[in-house]
Amino acid sequence: MRTSRLIWTVAVLVFSILCLILIKDSFKKHTRVEKLKNCKIKKTEVKLLVPTSPPVTQYLDTNSISSCSNKRLWPHCDEADSDTICKSLKIPDLKSHQEDRLPPDIVSGVKYFVIFLGHARSGSSITGSLMDAHPNMVICHEYSILHQLSIHPTTHNSKEDIFDNIFIRTQELAKHFQKVERKGYSLDVKNSWKGTYKDKVMVIGDKSAAPTTALYLADSSRFAATLDRLREITKVPLKFVHVVRNPYDNIATNLIYKLGGVDLRLQLLANNRSSADSSEDKLTCEIKKYFDHYYAIEKMKARLQLDVLEIHLSDLVQSPLRELTRICLFLDIECSSSYLKAGEESVFSEVSKTREKFQWTASQKDLTAKFINSIPALKRYTFQGD
């Protein structure tokens, strides 16, 4: 009888302990979800660092801003994967596109492979589109070559396969852009060689600025190894293009897209104060994410000693002939008058000032300005300027 009571007592005690453990785990998960949902910002002191060789004068300690950053992963996909990223990385079936493949003499004539770095909605798309309009350039929109090398290694194990996949996708997208217009501008370039080429292809590449930078943030060692593999397969030098937009507008545009196009200024006026505080936190969080991304680009350039051309979107819009000529000189390629004319006619008239759609607090403006002043390439930008 005593033995039975003892067993029963032990069983109840064990059950109680298990229940407490489950409740504790559940509470931890709930807390993590709430933190992610509200994107709470840690109040950490901003520190200035001076990195060593190669010289990149100053940037802030990224540990002070990482609390806002989402976890970044190199995707692992298979044929049955329905994940959005994996769907977007489906490659053309080369067997059904035999007539669209590049002739061997065209493949062997390529001098450079171009990769874009940067942020989403920074102006990379229009820049890549203008480059693809050149008669001797093939620049694909969002092909994500470094993802492709990781996910589809067997279909990207030769120079011919990589170049053909990019060229076929570029042809498909050129037809798509003829029918689709984005807000205020189009990625189609009239009277140009967009989606095809004339006589030879000297430059081929991929416009996937934000995904490329995110891969470096996720695993810098793997990123460097994948770049080396791309060099080894293509046997051509890599060139990089970094398009920069006024950070205030870039930050605002990214957040607008994440909010589903909501005008935050109206949202703050309409909602109660607690909701407004949450929205303000999102803007502060987006500021920190932007510079987390930018510092990664600066470190990437320095540590991997990349050959990078920096293009400012405001310069491209205000002086398209000069900036397109800079691109051609960077890539050792001829810039004909007909190409320059087609490019000039396709650039939109002004850069959208989306910063005005938000109510920026004084502390948010100051925080952004402090980050901007730590990066020489951004010092030209202010909240009131272009």
Side-chain angles (χ1 to χ4, degrees):
M1 191 69 177
R2 288 181 178 179
T3 304
S4 299
R5 284 183 179 178
L6 181 60
I7 293 172
W8 175 253
T9 303
V10 171
V12 171
L13 183 61
V14 170
F15 179 79
S16 300
I17 291 171
L18 288 173
C19 286
L20 287 171
I21 291 172
L22 288 171
I23 291 169
K24 185 178 179 182
D25 287 343
S26 178
F27 177 77
K28 283 183 177 179
K29 288 179 182 178
H30 176 73
T31 304
R32 284 198 296 268
V33 169
E34 287 302 309
K35 283 184 178 179
L36 286 171
K37 197 178 292 181
N38 297 323
C39 196
K40 296 297 182 184
I41 314 299
K42 292 179 182 177
K43 294 182 179 178
T44 51
E45 184 179 352
V46 175
K47 301 176 182 178
L48 284 172
L49 298 177
V50 181
T52 56
S53 179
V56 179
T57 55
Q58 281 186 331
Y59 34 70
L60 299 172
D61 183 3
T62 54
N63 291 329
S64 67
I65 60 179
S66 60
S67 59
C68 274
S69 301
N70 295 324
K71 189 174 183 181
R72 304 172 183 88
L73 296 173
W74 286 65
H76 299 277
C77 308
D78 55 41
E79 291 304 315
D81 204 324
S82 60
D83 182 81
T84 304
I85 292 177
C86 298
K87 278 185 174 180
S88 69
L89 294 175
K90 297 298 182 183
I91 60 172
D93 179 9
L94 293 181
K95 291 182 180 178
S96 62
H97 288 86
Q98 290 296 329
E99 70 282 0
D100 297 322
R101 301 185 71 163
L102 292 166
D105 61 318
I106 298 296
V107 171
S108 62
V110 173
K111 291 174 58 178
Y112 298 114
F113 193 100
V114 170
I115 296 175
F116 276 65
L117 310 172
H119 294 78
R121 299 170 186 93
S122 62
S124 297
S125 293
I126 186 65
T127 306
S129 184
L130 291 169
M131 291 172 65
D132 186 51
H134 191 285
N136 306 123
M137 283 197 234
V138 173
I139 305 296
C140 191
H141 181 78
E142 305 292 354
Y143 187 73
S144 297
I145 182 60
L146 301 184
H147 276 111
Q148 299 286 10
L149 284 171
S150 178
I151 296 167
H152 303 294
T154 58
T155 54
H156 291 78
N157 57 8
S158 73
K159 176 194 288 192
E160 291 75 13
D161 284 349
I162 290 174
F163 290 1
D164 284 339
N165 278 313
I166 287 175
F167 180 56
I168 292 167
R169 177 68 64 83
T170 303
Q171 293 177 79
E172 294 171 348
L173 288 172
K175 295 174 184 176
H176 170 72
F177 291 140
Q178 289 174 359
K179 305 172 186 176
V180 176
E181 184 169 327
R182 294 190 168 195
K183 294 179 180 179
Y185 70 99
S186 170
L187 291 181
D188 185 32
V189 181
K190 306 294 183 185
N191 304 314
S192 74
W193 291 87
K194 186 168 179 59
T196 185
Y197 63 93
K198 180 184 180 183
D199 299 331
K200 58 186 176 180
V201 175
M202 299 177 68
V203 176
I204 196 165
D206 167 39
K207 196 295 300 179
S208 300
T212 298
T213 309
L215 292 181
Y216 179 82
L217 276 163
D219 190 336
S220 59
S221 298
R222 185 173 178 180
F223 181 92
T226 308
L227 281 186
D228 288 341
R229 182 163 175 250
L230 181 61
R231 290 189 185 97
E232 182 182 353
I233 295 172
T234 61
K235 295 179 172 57
V236 295
L238 302 184
K239 294 264 192 178
F240 296 82
V241 174
H242 179 202
V243 182
V244 181
R245 183 181 179 184
N246 186 314
Y248 293 100
D249 291 324
N250 210 157
I251 290 163
T253 305
N254 282 336
L255 186 53
I256 285 172
Y257 274 79
K258 289 177 182 177
L259 294 172
V262 173
D263 188 328
L264 189 58
R265 178 180 54 191
L266 298 178
Q267 182 178 326
L268 290 177
L269 293 173
N271 292 358
N272 58 40
R273 190 61 202 165
S274 61
S275 297
D277 287 340
S278 176
S279 298
E280 288 175 7
D281 281 350
K282 289 178 182 177
L283 178 56
T284 304
C285 196
E286 199 62 41
I287 292 168
K288 295 190 174 187
K289 285 180 182 178
Y290 174 89
F291 287 101
D292 183 20
H293 211 82
Y294 205 104
Y295 301 139
I297 296 168
E298 294 299 293
K299 288 180 180 180
M300 186 198 315
K301 290 177 183 177
R303 291 175 181 174
L304 302 181
Q305 300 185 349
L306 305 181
D307 189 3
V308 183
L309 175 67
E310 193 171 82
I311 298 286
H312 290 262
L313 181 60
S314 55
D315 292 343
L316 180 64
V317 171
Q318 294 167 10
S319 306
L321 299 182
R322 183 189 68 193
E323 295 307 299
L324 290 173
T325 301
R326 284 184 65 226
I327 292 172
C328 290
L329 289 172
F330 176 67
L331 298 171
D332 301 323
I333 200 167
E334 183 184 350
C335 226
S336 67
S337 57
S338 59
Y339 167 67
L340 291 173
K341 182 181 179 182
E344 183 181 30
E345 292 174 348
S346 299
V347 176
F348 38 83
S349 58
E350 61 180 359
V351 181
S352 176
K353 292 186 178 181
T354 49
R355 76 196 91 152
E356 296 172 354
K357 293 184 177 293
F358 289 74
Q359 280 192 343
W360 296 68
T361 64
S363 62
Q364 288 167 340
K365 290 180 182 179
D366 290 345
L367 177 64
T368 307
K370 185 176 288 188
F371 285 141
I372 284 174
N373 289 329
S374 73
I375 302 171
L378 296 182
K379 286 185 177 181
R380 61 187 280 183
Y381 294 112
T382 63
F383 189 83
Q384 292 77 22
D386 293 330

